């Protein structure tokens, strides 16, 4: 079962937020980011996932009027058998949120394997070079101007391939190879694409799923560890 607790709440009277829930760094200017609440989401189930806790906290935060959040802590299967996530939630103007995005690295790719430590590693290829992602970790890679990066899982025949190129001021890309928590993640599917296609995904028997919710992607790199 899952529970949500408001650990701390401001006295701000704010209308519920319907769309936004941006990830921000904890060091952002408090004058631009009005504190709304600190939320604790817990779940006592072996099937609990970071994404499930994130989605629940997002719904509650939006109801309270928050449109952005920063990561505070995460614990997977503590002594009581619970998985928990704590986030600080804020309200900010659109211009402040756009400004906050400038703090993040540009043209970086994050590839996730399996969420929980102890699961099997996942193997994939970058420009035909074999790579491994241990469970509970992610692979980080930068994109260089003038170069095309090919990510493949499952081999050239019957596998899935992504081609990525550097773009000016491009926000990070987030991909998952295991498909964990795909309930709210969108898949881009393009059939019969050739080499040089920019930012495309070809799906057959292999799986490379793009996480289009960047807030969830940023949360994952704070919760999981870099494996390369």
């Amino acid at each position: 079962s899952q529970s949500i607790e408001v650990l701390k709440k401001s006295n701000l009277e704010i209308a519920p937020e319907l769309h936004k829930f941006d990830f921000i760094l904890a060091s952002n200017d408090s004058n631009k980011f009005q504190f709304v609440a600190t939320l604790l989401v817990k779940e006592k189930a072996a099937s609990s996932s970071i994404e499930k806790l994130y989605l629940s906290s997002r719904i509650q935060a939006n109801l309270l009027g928050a449109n952005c959040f920063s990561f505070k802590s995460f614990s997977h299967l503590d002594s009581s058998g619970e998985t928990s996530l704590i986030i600080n939630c804020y309200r900010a103007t659109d211009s402040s949120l756009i400004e906050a995005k400038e703090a993040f690295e540009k043209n970086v790719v994050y590839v996730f394997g399996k969420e929980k430590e102890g699961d099997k590693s996942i193997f994939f290829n970058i420009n035909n070079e074999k790579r491994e992602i241990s469970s509970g970790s992610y692979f980080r890679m930068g994109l260089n101007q003038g170069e095309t990066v090919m990510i493949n899982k499952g081999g050239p025949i019957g596998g899935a391939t992504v081609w990525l190129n550097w773009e000016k001021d491009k926000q990070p890309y987030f991909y998952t190879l295991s498909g964990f928590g795909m309930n709210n993640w969108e898949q881009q599917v393009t059939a019969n694409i050739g080499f040089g296609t920019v930012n495309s995904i070809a799906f057959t028997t292999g799986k490379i799923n793009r996480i289009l919710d960047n807030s969830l992607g940023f949360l994952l790199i704070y919760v999981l560890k870099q494996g390369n």
Side-chain angles (χ1 to χ4, degrees):
S1 63
Q2 191 181 91
S3 64
I4 302 178
E5 183 180 349
V6 179
L7 299 180
K8 187 178 178 181
K9 186 177 180 299
S10 73
N11 295 320
L12 291 173
E13 295 293 334
I14 313 174
E17 168 62 39
L18 301 179
H19 304 292
K20 290 182 182 293
F21 199 51
D22 288 5
F23 182 92
I24 63 172
L25 297 176
S27 59
N28 272 293
D29 188 349
S30 60
N31 292 323
K32 294 181 179 179
F33 296 86
Q34 294 180 296
F35 175 77
V36 175
T38 299
L39 300 180
L40 165 62
V41 188
K42 297 187 293 185
E43 186 168 35
K44 196 167 187 175
S47 61
S48 180
S49 68
I50 300 167
E51 190 217 18
K52 287 171 66 178
L53 299 182
Y54 161 77
L55 291 176
S56 296
S57 63
R58 173 173 183 158
I59 292 170
Q60 181 62 44
N62 283 162
L63 288 173
L64 294 174
N67 62 1
C68 55
F69 74 102
S70 64
F71 171 73
K72 189 172 177 64
S73 70
F74 175 80
S75 175
H76 179 62
L77 293 179
D78 59 16
S79 58
S80 64
E82 291 182 322
T83 298
S84 63
L85 171 68
I86 301 178
I87 59 172
N88 289 323
C89 308
Y90 304 89
R91 181 79 173 204
T93 62
D94 287 346
S95 60
S96 293
L97 292 175
I98 292 172
E99 183 180 337
K101 289 181 180 179
E102 295 303 312
F104 299 120
E105 292 182 291
K106 306 296 190 297
N107 285 287
V108 180
V109 183
Y110 297 95
V111 184
F112 301 98
K114 295 191 175 183
E115 176 185 333
K116 297 173 183 176
E117 294 185 10
D119 283 338
K120 293 181 180 179
S121 296
I122 292 182
F123 295 91
F124 67 109
N125 294 295
I126 296 179
N127 293 337
N128 296 315
E129 183 178 341
K130 190 174 183 179
R131 304 282 186 166
E132 176 184 1
I133 305 179
S134 301
S135 59
S137 69
Y138 62 87
F139 185 93
R140 179 193 176 280
M141 173 181 56
L143 298 175
N144 298 317
Q145 190 170 3
E147 296 180 359
T148 296
V149 171
M150 181 180 70
I151 303 174
N152 172 270
K153 178 175 180 278
I157 300 175
T161 303
V162 176
W163 289 272
L164 295 173
N165 290 64
W166 180 95
E167 296 179 43
K168 180 177 171 56
D169 297 328
K170 184 66 180 180
Q171 289 290 314
Y173 293 96
F174 301 98
Y175 291 97
T176 172
L177 302 182
S178 65
F180 72 83
M182 288 301 297
N183 292 331
N184 199 40
W185 299 350
E186 205 172 320
Q187 296 181 2
Q188 297 181 351
V189 181
T190 306
N192 301 319
I193 58 179
F195 184 79
T197 303
V198 178
N199 304 338
S200 300
I201 302 178
F203 281 91
T204 47
T205 59
K207 292 182 180 179
I208 302 177
N209 298 299
R210 183 173 176 187
I211 303 170
L212 294 181
D213 185 345
N214 274 15
S215 295
L216 177 56
F218 282 121
L219 179 62
L220 286 170
I221 65 175
Y222 271 76
V223 171
L224 304 178
K225 60 186 179 183
Q226 184 173 340
N228 68 311

